[in-house]
Amino acid sequence: MAVITLDVDGTAHRLDVEPEMPLLYALRDELGLNNPRFGCGLAQCGSCTVLMDGQPIRACVVPVAAVTGKVQTLSGLGTAEEPHPVQQAFIDEQALFCGYCMNGWILYAAALLESDPNPSDEAIRQAFTGLKCRCGSHSAILRAVKRAAATLSDREG
Amino acid sequence: MGWYGTAVKRRDVLKGAGSLVVSLAVPGARRAMAADDRPLWRALSPAQLDTYLKIDETGRVTAFFGKMDMGQGVDISIAQIVAEELDLPLDRVDVVMGDTALTVNQGGASGSTGIERGANPLRNAAAEARRVLLELGAEMLGVDAGEVAVAEGAVYLRADPVRRAGFGELIGGGHFDVRLEWNGSYGNALDALGSAAPKDPSEYRVVGQPFPRRDLPEIVMGTHEYIVDVRVPDMMHGRVVRPPVAGSVPVSVNIDSIGAIAGARVVHEGDYLGVVAGREWDAVRAAQQLEVSWSEVEPPFPDMDDLYDHIRRAPVVRESAGGGRGADVAPDRDAVEAALARADRVLQAEYEFPFQSHGSMGPACAVCDYRGDSATLWTGSQKPHYAAEGVANILGLPAGNVRGIWVPGPGSYGRNDAGDAAMDAAVMSRAVSRPVRVQGTRAEGTAWDPKAPASVHFARAGLDAAGNVVGYEMRMKGFSAGDVESNESNPSYSYAGALLGWPNTSVHRLSNPGDRYGFPVNVRYWQTIAPLLERASPLRTAHLRDPLGPQNHFASECFMDEMAVAAGADPVEFRLRYLPDGRDADVLRAAAERYGWEPAVPGPEAPPSDGVVTGRGVAYTRRGLPVVAVIADVEVDLDTGRVWPRRFVVASDQGIVVNPLWLRRTIEGNIIHAVSRTLHEEVRFTPERVTSVDWISYPILEMVDAPEEIDIVLVNRPELPPYGAGEPSTRTVPPAIANAVFDATGLRIRRAPFSRERILAARRASADRQPG
Ligand code: FES
Ligand code: FES
């Protein structure tokens, strides 16, 4: 066991856990957070995605001791009153079914638009390599990401 | 103490807005609900209006729905139907579902019947409630019932609309205490009639509108509660321990091997083995580290390369030309032989479809709190009423002593691993006398969930000199679809039940393609073969979205195309020759029209040997009542073998449209899921075990291959009731893509999935056949 500090959604936490415990278990079981979810435990699906210093990581395979940056979860991205434009676009497009996969899609989309505010169709598809959705939300997700990009460029312009 | 006194603490009695609202202190029962008059421990009567509807003092309506929404917006459609009958704005209707203490068993999610059947008792109850409210309103206003009308949640005097009484004033919080005429059935067949007739669809204002789902904002904000988020006091974490060779069972277990993991315990009953620990990570490690010696068994499976020949060779267990659940009907083979003997030309082809996994996004999870004489089950199963009954059975409790609470899980497309997890949690909770949460690993969600069965389809047709079909035969031979029946009340059908010695109750059944082709001789039948491993098999079969639809129609609709090519006909025109006028032909025409279909015989003029080529393919199917036609535009890269279905045009007739927005979404999701099954999905195995254990060994569709456009034509039939629209489009996708691949390349792919390797192999084989 080791004492580890984690900054999650702007709050600092001290944990006493095995350093090799994956971040996902630390977030869920030690901190009682819900939204990053177990899908594969193998970095193959994205259900467990969180952002570390703005970059998406797979919490199921990152040992908690290796987390050096600030962690942001889907629930830390926006609020019901002030949703992130990507979240709003997913609502507007009704772009999901069960939603179990959504941590990955929304957080990867947010990170993508951060670095490329006006991505091509191809760039969006490539950015989502390695993400899974079993319910077939793909086409709706593409529409949502384009809508979010349009909203963001309206705001800039 | 009874379970309702322990698990369901009826604290938090809130007095709000003059109404008594009990908020159930149970995870999963998130919505505060008007449950004060709904004793949780008493079975609800399907013959009581109050079972389906409740109106509080503010006039807000709660509809209690005994089926489920699994992410297709069924609940919003139910709210629309109830709002419609009560002349209420939609935002004043809430829908409660999935809690066995609050809803009657309407069968859970099942065969896309959420609206087709599930809406009926609610529609009737709402119509009856409106009748009662009209009477109460007339009485309160001191006039005859003929002088009042209903609008916006109030009864008003026609002659003087300011004189009105709101629903809340009329009945708020009270009982209707009105009996409905219940048909005596539970499950999908449950129906109840009131004395009032529901509205005529021509008057609909709320039904038919595109309302968004209500749970979406919470989901995208990351605040939605899923089954994996349920935590109850004193809860432990359980994991099932599975054998290294399918069919082998634990002989001895070295408990000391997990002695170093604090609080870890072994659950070993009969042939069932699991571990339980206080922390989830400890349970994961204990399952990995537990030393078990397993019984020696013969490897149960054939070589994977031999799968389809195994099916061809295997003795037939059951054969029928009828439905899987009816009596056997003998196929008229003599008629086929006679017709083929008369034919000018006989075509034949064989199609092969693999085992496929539900592979839900998250491996199944369930929590069970066993209390000796009662239990509470939290489950993501799409049939929580049956799951709770199954848990009662495996625990030896009366059915009424187990409360099942559905909490949304990862999307579910039939009888997936959720039905097993409920039983696992129950068995482990009983073993440790604590609530236990079980969640599988990815391998358990992919390798150990019940599968869609593999099959071979034998097609024959005779054509006369003019290219007319004179005789047709389609035979499906494969593993029975009924190793695991979807009704979860029988523990025999679960992994735990099988290992705890519940007798085998699997049934032998398959089905035939659904269409309306009027061939002069038209014989379809199916044959089942024995399972490879009788019990607790990772290849046991069950319902997976549109059960047997993709298999059967891959064969039947590809063969239609082969017949059209042989007859030198356009495939749309060829199908229309054999379809009666009416809904089937209309749907096919609607798809062709939207697509801008120009008639042509499928296939390239000269077979291309490399580069990217394009083609189009059509398929039409019927699933009982709903009718679907699909046209796919496909791009095939002959150098890499990649098949990319870029565009789909879908025409769909499912009777009256209740919510066009979510109907479109549902069809779109089905198409994409089916694209994944068509292009990628195949459960792999060795003689010892299933080797599809993750998303690399069981690849599914990724965004790079997702279609660019899915253009959906809804053929609205306001004169018809709503038919199940959830699954029917699935079955059209494998043949539409295969037919388009043929159109593009001249390659007839008769084995799914159409992986890159398979396309490249087919191209090589065809090049070998072509001289120089
Ligand atoms: S759970 Fe982490 S990527 Fe699948
Ligand atoms: S919406 Fe169900 S897995 Fe993506």
Side-chain angles (χ1 to χ4, degrees):
Chain A
M1 303 283 253
V3 174
I4 300 211
T5 53
L6 274 185
D7 183 319
V8 182
D9 295 331
T11 307
H13 301 273
R14 275 169 63 91
L15 309 179
D16 193 13
V17 294
E18 293 87 351
E20 72 275 13
M21 176 186 273
L23 173 62
L24 178 65
Y25 292 89
L27 293 174
R28 294 189 59 88
D29 289 357
E30 306 300 319
L31 303 183
L33 293 178
N34 280 346
N35 68 83
R37 283 179 285 276
F38 181 89
C40 65
L42 304 161
Q44 295 173 1
C45 76
S47 302
C48 63
T49 304
V50 297
L51 298 178
M52 183 167 83
D53 293 337
Q55 287 309 307
I57 58 168
R58 307 286 172 98
C60 67
V61 291
V62 176
V64 67
V67 177
T68 49
K70 289 189 189 338
V71 173
Q72 191 177 22
T73 71
L74 180 61
S75 61
L77 190 65
T79 60
E81 297 69 40
E82 233 176 299
H84 186 280
V86 171
Q87 289 171 315
Q88 187 61 50
F90 272 69
I91 296 172
D92 293 342
E93 287 291 341
Q94 298 275 293
L96 57 86
F97 294 93
C98 73
Y100 196 90
C101 59
M102 278 296 136
N103 295 288
W105 297 103
I106 295 176
L107 292 172
Y108 273 78
L112 169 69
L113 296 181
E114 195 67 38
S115 64
D116 179 359
N118 203 356
S120 66
D121 215 77
E122 192 48 33
I124 299 173
R125 287 174 184 263
Q126 291 300 338
F128 289 142
T129 301
L131 293 182
K132 304 293 189 295
C133 171
R134 199 62 181 123
C135 299
S137 307
H138 304 69
S139 299
I141 291 170
L142 278 179
R143 293 194 292 270
V145 175
K146 287 182 200 161
R147 181 191 276 258
T151 315
L152 284 166
S153 66
D154 281 357
R155 279 194 196 172
E156 318 270 281
Chain B
M1 189 164 11
W3 63 270
Y4 47 85
T6 52
V8 185
K9 297 214 175 59
R10 303 182 76 205
R11 57 186 182 216
D12 296 342
V13 177
L14 309 171
K15 282 245 179 207
S19 78
L20 186 67
V21 178
V22 176
S23 141
L24 303 175
V26 179
R30 284 161 296 140
R31 298 170 193 87
M33 54 195 63
D36 48 309
D37 57 343
R38 193 168 278 256
L40 298 178
W41 51 91
R42 204 184 59 200
L44 296 161
S45 166
Q48 274 292 338
L49 173 49
D50 296 303
T51 294
Y52 305 98
L53 285 184
K54 163 116 188 109
I55 300 182
D56 74 10
E57 281 83 349
T58 67
R60 210 174 166 76
V61 173
T62 306
F64 297 91
F65 180 45
K67 281 186 164 292
M68 305 302 311
D69 176 52
M70 308 308 289
Q72 284 77 27
V74 174
D75 54 334
I76 195 76
S77 294
I78 293 295
Q80 286 176 254
I81 286 166
V82 167
E84 183 71 67
E85 294 300 333
L86 285 167
D87 283 315
L88 266 179
L90 182 69
D91 61 9
R92 280 202 251 157
V93 179
D94 298 315
V95 175
V96 166
M97 60 186 171
D99 187 331
T100 62
L102 299 171
T103 59
V104 277
N105 182 0
Q106 290 185 259
S110 172
S112 303
T113 56
I115 305 296
E116 181 176 314
R117 291 168 175 230
N120 293 338
L122 286 119
R123 179 190 294 111
N124 296 336
E128 184 68 1
R130 184 181 194 276
R131 181 191 68 75
V132 175
L133 289 161
L134 266 174
E135 278 178 14
L136 292 173
E139 201 176 299
M140 185 180 274
L141 297 172
V143 296
D144 279 351
E147 293 176 55
V148 292
V150 174
E152 298 286 315
V155 177
Y156 66 92
L157 193 58
R158 287 178 203 269
D160 183 9
V162 270
R163 288 187 58 201
R164 60 201 296 280
F167 289 176
E169 293 168 62
L170 292 171
I171 191 113
H175 290 171
F176 285 95
D177 204 12
V178 168
R179 285 191 74 77
L180 303 177
E181 199 183 309
W182 172 42
N183 66 356
S185 296
Y186 281 102
N188 288 345
L190 186 152
D191 201 0
L193 286 172
S195 59
K199 273 188 188 173
D200 187 89
S202 62
E203 296 169 42
Y204 282 173
R205 286 178 303 168
V206 184
V207 169
Q209 299 306 312
F211 287 103
R213 259 168 63 191
R214 290 169 172 171
D215 49 351
L216 239 113
E218 276 187 6
I219 294 176
V220 304
M221 302 316 297
T223 52
H224 195 57
E225 185 187 48
Y226 287 88
I227 181 67
V228 292
D229 305 325
V230 171
R231 298 178 179 91
V232 299
D234 292 332
M235 182 177 88
M236 298 182 79
H237 292 271
R239 286 292 183 277
V240 181
V241 179
R242 315 262 177 179
V245 178
S248 92
V249 295
V251 177
S252 67
V253 177
N254 176 7
I255 294 178
D256 295 339
S257 59
I258 56 168
I261 301 176
R265 292 166 65 177
V266 170
V267 177
H268 185 184
E269 291 177 23
D271 290 335
Y272 184 78
L273 185 61
V275 292
V276 175
R279 293 192 319 161
E280 185 169 19
W281 179 236
D282 290 337
V284 172
R285 292 190 302 152
Q288 285 163 356
Q289 289 169 24
L290 187 68
E291 287 173 20
V292 184
S293 72
W294 296 93
S295 64
E296 294 280 333
V297 290
E298 280 293 310
F301 306 140
D303 238 36
M304 183 150 171
D305 291 340
D306 191 39
L307 172 64
Y308 298 113
D309 285 334
H310 170 91
I311 294 173
R312 286 183 176 86
R313 281 193 311 267
V316 171
V317 175
R318 187 182 169 205
E319 170 181 281
S320 179
R325 298 186 197 277
D328 289 357
V329 177
D332 191 350
R333 292 191 187 88
D334 293 347
V336 177
E337 296 307 336
L340 296 189
R342 283 197 306 273
D344 213 56
R345 211 148 38 117
V346 174
L347 296 185
Q348 47 187 36
E350 297 180 8
Y351 302 85
E352 298 160 335
F353 213 89
F355 284 109
Q356 293 188 325
S357 165
H358 294 79
S360 285
M361 196 65 197
C365 177
V367 180
C368 187
D369 184 4
Y370 171 73
R371 299 287 178 119
D373 58 354
S374 64
T376 307
L377 168 73
W378 291 266
T379 174
S381 160
Q382 59 181 44
K383 299 187 197 300
H385 292 83
Y386 289 127
E389 264 180 66
V391 162
N393 286 331
I394 208 165
L395 295 175
L397 295 173
N401 289 19
V402 178
R403 180 183 184 190
I405 300 171
W406 173 80
V407 190
S412 149
Y413 324 101
R415 169 50 168 92
N416 67 357
D417 47 344
D420 293 320
M423 300 289 181
D424 293 327
V427 170
M428 292 196 211
S429 177
R430 178 175 60 188
V432 300
S433 302
R434 297 258 300 267
V436 172
R437 172 189 186 272
V438 172
Q439 186 174 21
T441 58
R442 182 67 260 156
E444 290 175 283
T446 305
W448 287 94
D449 73 314
K451 304 294 186 293
S455 52
V456 180
H457 302 252
F458 304 83
R460 292 197 295 167
L463 303 185
D464 67 14
N468 297 309
V469 179
V470 295
Y472 174 90
E473 182 190 57
M474 181 63 75
R475 168 167 63 105
M476 174 186 208
K477 187 177 183 193
F479 297 99
S480 165
D483 292 353
V484 174
E485 289 286 41
S486 356
N487 178 331
E488 292 168 24
S489 61
N490 180 351
S492 294
Y493 293 126
S494 68
Y495 180 79
L499 292 172
L500 290 171
W502 286 73
N504 188 358
T505 48
S506 64
V507 294
H508 273 263
R509 57 175 177 78
L510 287 170
S511 66
N512 293 315
D515 57 54
R516 279 280 171 92
Y517 296 128
F519 305 128
V521 172
N522 190 347
V523 174
R524 296 142 186 244
Y525 63 106
W526 48 263
Q527 301 174 317
T528 64
I529 64 170
L532 297 167
L533 171 63
E534 285 275 341
R535 304 307 310 277
S537 171
L539 290 177
R540 71 220 138 96
T541 60
H543 278 174
L544 167 58
R545 185 174 268 181
D546 188 16
L548 306 176
Q551 294 95 317
N552 266 316
H553 301 85
F554 172 48
S556 65
E557 282 297 291
C558 283
F559 196 56
M560 275 308 277
D561 235 53
E562 299 206 40
M563 291 193 286
V565 172
D570 171 75
V572 171
E573 187 271 320
F574 186 76
R575 283 171 171 81
L576 288 172
R577 277 186 209 172
Y578 297 100
L579 285 179
D581 277 343
R583 294 176 58 224
D584 299 74
D586 289 352
V587 165
L588 181 53
R589 287 197 189 97
E593 189 175 312
R594 172 66 68 102
Y595 181 88
W597 184 273
E598 297 291 338
V601 182
E605 273 168 28
S609 55
D610 51 19
V612 174
V613 289
T614 59
R616 62 180 194 178
V618 64
Y620 134 85
T621 60
R622 181 180 251 271
R623 187 172 192 259
L625 295 163
V627 182
V628 183
V630 163
I631 298 170
D633 271 340
V634 163
E635 196 174 284
V636 183
D637 185 334
L638 286 167
D639 301 318
T640 63
R642 176 187 187 226
V643 175
W644 182 25
R646 294 184 73 145
R647 172 178 179 230
F648 287 92
V649 171
V650 184
S652 176
D653 167 357
Q654 53 288 296
I656 187 172
V657 173
V658 177
N659 182 328
L661 170 60
W662 271 95
L663 178 55
R664 284 174 188 283
R665 284 289 178 283
T666 298
I667 292 172
E668 189 176 281
N670 261 304
I671 298 280
I672 296 173
H673 187 186
V675 166
S676 179
R677 291 173 71 178
T678 305
L679 297 184
H680 302 290
E681 298 187 28
E682 177 170 41
V683 173
R684 306 200 63 82
F685 54 86
T686 63
E688 288 80 26
R689 66 188 68 91
V690 172
T691 52
S692 284
V693 292
D694 57 18
W695 297 126
I696 292 176
S697 46
Y698 190 76
I700 61 170
L701 184 80
E702 289 224 0
M703 191 58 110
V704 283
D705 291 327
E708 280 177 325
E709 189 192 353
I710 299 172
D711 186 2
I712 298 166
V713 188
L714 297 179
V715 180
N716 193 10
R717 297 278 188 186
E719 73 281 9
L720 296 176
Y723 300 140
E727 300 166 271
S729 47
T730 301
R731 54 183 55 193
T732 49
V733 172
I737 294 178
N739 292 339
V741 169
F742 174 81
D743 186 44
T745 64
L747 300 172
R748 191 49 85 176
I749 312 291
R750 299 194 186 87
R751 179 184 285 185
F754 317 150
S755 60
R756 293 182 177 216
E757 303 72 47
R758 200 153 281 154
I759 300 290
L760 291 177
R763 195 202 66 177
R764 278 194 301 272
S766 112
D768 289 348
R769 280 196 302 274
Q770 263 149 42

